[in-house]
Amino acid sequence: MSTTRRVVVDTDTGIDDAHTLLYLAGRPDAEIVAITSVFGNCVEEDAVRNIGYVNRLLGLSVPVARGAAEPLSGTAHIARHVHGKDGLGDRGYDRPMPAVVGETAAELLVRLANEQPGELDLLALGPLTNLGLALRLDPALFTKYRSVVLMGGSGPYAHPGRLLMIDANVNNDPVAARAVFSAPRNELVMVGVNVTAVTILSEPAIAALRATGTPIARFATEILDSYLDFYQKEWGRRIIPLHDPLAAGILLDPGFATGAALGPVNVVGDGFLWRARLMRTVEGLPPSFPYEPAPDTRVITEVDSARFVNDFVATLTRS
């Protein structure tokens, strides 16, 4: 089997999603096979326009399919306050609608899996609506992907008294997320906010990107301002977590994950938010309430953040 990961990317193309596409395109062991759009960081129309913009910047020509503009149930929550109204920090980029295939995102995900079973990896970076729709078309879909890696979820239950960052992807479509975590699969990997929130692009790393001056590095830093504006309210510093890029990094190099647990994941609500959680306490015990059985998900619990951040910066600053 080839060591190159051939990746289908499902994305709500905001700032860290754009960074992820740049990172995948810069890694010699990755090939982007197709990209599908979904609502989330911005409305779906902006998400697909942003895919087109990044693809032109990269000189990338791959099939693009338009996906869901709203969740399977409920109302979409668009993260304009984080990613800007257009998803790329409102820099005024010319973003014409790209050419798209004549099938929906869900249909494309199903077709590619059936045409190339066991050869492709699916990387989900936004709300899981397209994946939920695809599972309605083919309930065995995930058994036909080499792996499914998603940025979302909250890991195991936290230490008592410790609160976690909101996981917008699961919260934006808990119905689809529940379908994803209950579906049969070869391998499903959850890279949640428990690990992405501590994988920080620091001031020196951002300065290194700014100093490079290549079109890729320049774009990567141009779109950061609204993201930095948001996260400085959390930490008092102009730094950001590498949410989506970390999921891509672990797909390509599982060694970036230094801790993981296997077990069932449920989507649970607290009256305000929905989260995907491994049904284990921090001590590794089952929770104190009944939960739904589900196939094992590989839930990342610890990462080598420093090594990943170094690789991310090196990849985006490579000529």
Side-chain angles (χ1 to χ4, degrees), residues 200-203 206 228 231-232 235 237-241:
I200 300 296
L201 193 68
S202 65
E203 294 95 341
I206 294 170
L228 292 166
Y231 280 108
Q232 71 183 2
W235 296 309
R237 293 168 56 188
R238 291 183 68 76
I239 56 179
I240 61 165

Side-chain angles (χ1 to χ4, degrees), residues 184-195:
R185 75 290 299 264
N186 281 334
E187 182 182 41
L188 178 63
V189 181
M190 185 171 90
V191 185
V193 292
N194 55 308
V195 290

Side-chain angles (χ1 to χ4, degrees), residues 233-304:
K233 297 180 179 69
E234 292 289 327
W235 296 309
R237 293 168 56 188
R238 291 183 68 76
I239 56 179
I240 61 165
L242 292 172
H243 292 299
D244 291 344
L246 179 63
I250 288 173
L251 189 160
L252 299 177
D253 182 354
F256 285 131
T258 56
L262 279 175
V265 169
N266 280 193
V267 177
V268 294
D270 59 8
F272 300 97
L273 299 170
W274 292 93
R275 295 186 186 275
R277 290 191 183 274
L278 176 67
M279 291 293 100
R280 297 291 182 267
T281 67
V282 70
E283 297 86 7
L285 301 174
S288 59
F289 54 83
Y291 58 89
E292 294 293 325
D296 282 349
T297 294
R298 182 170 180 255
V299 177
I300 306 305
T301 57
E302 296 180 57
V303 293
D304 188 342

Side-chain angles (χ1 to χ4, degrees), residues 25 39 57 60-61 70 89 97 100 151 178 185 187 193 205 210 213 219 231-232 248 259 272-273 276 278 280:
F39 74 96
L57 178 67
L60 185 65
S61 179
E70 58 186 15
M97 183 65 66
V100 297
M151 190 277 120
R178 188 173 289 116
R185 75 290 299 264
E187 182 182 41
V193 292
R210 289 192 193 279
F219 170 69
Y231 280 108
Q232 71 183 2
F272 300 97
L273 299 170
L278 176 67
R280 297 291 182 267

